[in-house]
Amino acid sequence: SAPPPMRGRKKPTKPLSEEEENAITTKVTKYRMLSSKLLQARAAMLSAPSGPAAVDQLAAEMLPLQARLLRINPDFYTLWNHRKEVRSAAGPPCALGRPLAPSRAPSH
């Protein structure tokens, strides 16, 4: 079967070297592993009855991984929704050990 289209990317004009193919394969494998880990962690968070401390602990572990994956692929809309769920389940940002950022209201 043909590989999926690569939107917005130039099709290579020359074949990739074995080293380049291995580098791409490694990146794809890491991406898939991280994505799978986050989706499994979300399922565990939803299915396991746990207290606020457990949710905060899970959120503290998941949020940096989600941020890393979203930097790689910001079009992963499902992950944005999961991130919103984790943040709202964990309570205020201060509960995660991070203070609230100052609001940037426009000055008149």
Side-chain angles (χ1 to χ4, degrees):
S1 91
M6 298 186 334
R7 293 181 208 125
R9 294 190 183 191
K10 223 176 176 182
K11 186 174 181 180
T13 56
K14 63 179 183 173
L16 298 174
S17 70
E18 187 175 330
E19 185 178 297
E20 290 170 324
E21 280 189 32
N22 289 340
I24 291 171
T25 302
T26 301
K27 284 182 183 180
V28 170
T29 301
K30 287 179 181 180
Y31 177 86
R32 287 182 179 166
M33 286 174 49
L34 182 56
S35 174
S36 177
K37 181 178 180 177
L38 286 169
L39 294 175
Q40 289 172 358
R42 177 187 177 259
M45 185 179 89
L46 294 176
S47 66
S50 56
V55 171
D56 286 349
Q57 174 65 31
L58 188 57
E61 293 172 8
M62 287 176 65
L63 288 171
L65 296 176
Q66 289 173 334
R68 189 167 123 203
L69 191 58
L70 288 168
R71 274 194 294 279
I72 296 169
N73 180 10
D75 294 331
F76 195 164
Y77 299 113
T78 302
L79 192 57
W80 282 108
N81 291 330
H82 295 179
R83 185 170 173 84
K84 186 169 60 172
E85 287 175 0
V86 169
R87 291 189 64 96
S88 65
C94 293
L96 296 174
R98 289 184 293 284
L100 290 170
S103 64
R104 294 188 179 170
S107 58
H108 294 233

